[in-house]
């Protein structure tokens, strides 16, 4: 693979320090869009942190001033993730089941799964330029990551419809107002703020943190059921003429 090809393919950079697993989405040439390979690496990194008592918190962030543009649209066409063991499914399950606090630092675009993954995070920090968008319907798709359950529960059905049906983009101030993010911090302080929170969590009595997260997530068994239900429809939609036309239109812009 040439250097240019490697940059296009991207990677996930995982660094463990001070009890924090730092996971960087590093595919800036493609706005950190996730391919199947990247989902697989993300799933391994998150599932690996879960159950590892050396890790006290997980930090999720994107390179190049972008969180992520969501699923790679070319991948949707080339290798639609319809198998039960598709890497994206492993990733979403790892997120939902992670026993350690997940801390996200969002700058720039957070599209599709870039927004829905935040519903599984325990703390979300955003830069003022962060934009949250879930254009599933416009792509001929349906919501995933249990967002059809978690988003209306968090922001209310009317606002969830603006995001999930209309595909309305939400800015950082609105996301803060709606409770999708916990704090908006200046761009140059975003990473340090999120890292400080993750480090503080990692320094606390670890088992107490894990048990507290477990209690906070109690009653969320419905999350995995919802993901399963969404996945069945999502897989059907991926093969639909509506979706394929939308993917083609994006790739031919
Ligand atoms: N899948 C594949 N490639 C993507 C991508 C995605 N989800 N998002 C961005 N890219 C690629 C672009 O095709 C472009 O590649 P190129 O330079 O080889 O042409 C590169 O990343 C830069 O993107 P560009 O659109 O030029 O940047 P922008 O700043 O104008 O816009 C976005 C950024 C995120 C608003 C825009 O790229 C976008 O809408 N992406 C699609 C998001 C999406 O629908 N995701 C799926 C949700 S389910």
């Amino acid at each position: 693979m040439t250097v240019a090809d490697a940059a296009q393919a991207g990677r996930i950079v995982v660094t463990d320090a001070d009890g924090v697993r730092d996971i960087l989405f590093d595919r800036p040439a493609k706005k950190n869009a996730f391919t199947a390979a990247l989902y697989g690496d993300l799933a391994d990194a998150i599932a690996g942190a879960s159950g590892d008592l050396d890790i006290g918190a997980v930090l999720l962030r994107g390179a190049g001033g972008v969180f992520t543009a969501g699923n790679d649209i070319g991948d949707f066409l080339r290798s639609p993730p319809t198998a039960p063991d598709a890497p994206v499914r492993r990733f979403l399950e790892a997120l939902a089941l992670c026993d350690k606090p997940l801390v996200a630092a969002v700058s720039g675009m957070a599209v599709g799964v870039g927004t829905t993954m935040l519903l599984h995070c325990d703390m979300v920090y955003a830069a003022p330029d962060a934009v949250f968008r879930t254009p599933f319907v416009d792509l001929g798709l349906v919501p995933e990551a249990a967002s059809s359950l978690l988003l209306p529960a968090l922001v209310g059905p009317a606002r969830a419809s603006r995001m999930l049906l209309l595909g309305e983009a939400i800015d950082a101030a609105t996301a803060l107002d709606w409770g999708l993010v916990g704090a908006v911090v200046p761009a140059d302080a975003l990473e340090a703020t999120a890292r400080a929170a993750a480090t503080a969590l990692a320094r606390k009595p670890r088992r107490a943190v894990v048990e507290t997260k477990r209690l906070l997530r109690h009653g969320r068994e419905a999350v995995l059921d919802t993901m399963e239900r969404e996945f069945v429809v999502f897989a059907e939609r991926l093969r639909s003429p509506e979706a394929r036309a939308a993917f083609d239109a994006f790739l031919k812009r």
Side-chain angles (χ1 to χ4, degrees):
M1 195 187 275
T2 65
V3 173
D5 287 345
Q8 295 276 311
R11 60 187 182 151
I12 300 300
V13 182
V14 181
T15 313
D16 293 345
D18 301 326
V20 174
R21 173 155 295 179
D22 176 6
I23 302 179
L24 178 72
F25 318 144
D26 188 21
R27 197 189 179 206
K30 294 287 182 182
K31 305 289 174 187
N32 301 331
F34 296 153
T35 58
L38 297 188
Y39 277 126
D41 291 346
L42 278 170
D44 292 344
I46 294 168
S50 200
D52 179 348
L53 277 175
D54 288 339
I55 304 293
V58 177
L59 176 61
L60 300 166
R61 59 196 181 93
V66 179
F67 192 58
T68 169
N71 203 107
D72 186 286
I73 291 181
D75 248 31
F76 270 157
L77 269 178
R78 283 185 301 269
S79 49
T82 52
D85 61 349
V88 61
R89 291 191 79 175
R90 289 203 298 115
F91 164 66
L92 293 176
E93 282 167 16
L95 267 186
L97 297 175
C98 186
D99 67 354
K100 304 296 162 30
L102 299 166
V103 180
V106 182
S107 56
M109 296 301 303
V111 188
V113 75
T115 288
T116 59
M117 75 162 79
L118 302 174
L119 301 168
H120 299 274
C121 290
D122 301 278
M123 293 188 179
V124 182
Y125 295 93
D129 73 341
V131 177
F132 305 84
R133 192 157 64 87
T134 48
F136 299 112
V137 165
D138 293 325
L139 290 169
L141 299 172
V142 293
E144 35 68 311
S147 58
S148 61
L149 174 75
L150 295 174
L151 192 62
L154 179 68
V155 305
R159 289 162 167 174
S161 297
R162 284 168 61 183
M163 294 188 76
L164 294 177
L165 282 169
L166 266 185
E168 204 177 301
I170 301 300
D171 65 13
T174 306
L176 179 65
D177 184 43
W178 290 7
L180 195 57
V181 310
V184 177
V185 296
D188 59 2
L190 177 70
E191 186 188 331
T193 305
R195 190 182 298 283
T199 305
L201 285 164
R203 289 194 180 134
K204 291 185 187 291
R206 195 149 295 165
R207 288 182 193 278
V209 169
V210 167
E211 288 300 321
T212 299
K213 173 157 178 170
R214 200 169 59 79
L215 289 164
L216 284 166
R217 302 272 157 180
H218 178 71
R220 295 243 172 144
E221 291 79 10
V223 166
L224 292 177
D225 290 348
T226 304
M227 276 187 188
E228 184 61 36
R229 208 171 42 251
E230 291 169 345
F231 183 78
V232 171
V233 187
F234 198 97
E236 286 167 9
R237 297 302 314 161
L238 278 171
R239 298 188 206 94
S240 69
E242 284 177 349
R244 299 185 80 84
F247 304 155
D248 270 336
F250 176 77
L251 295 172
K252 288 184 183 141
R253 288 176 311 161

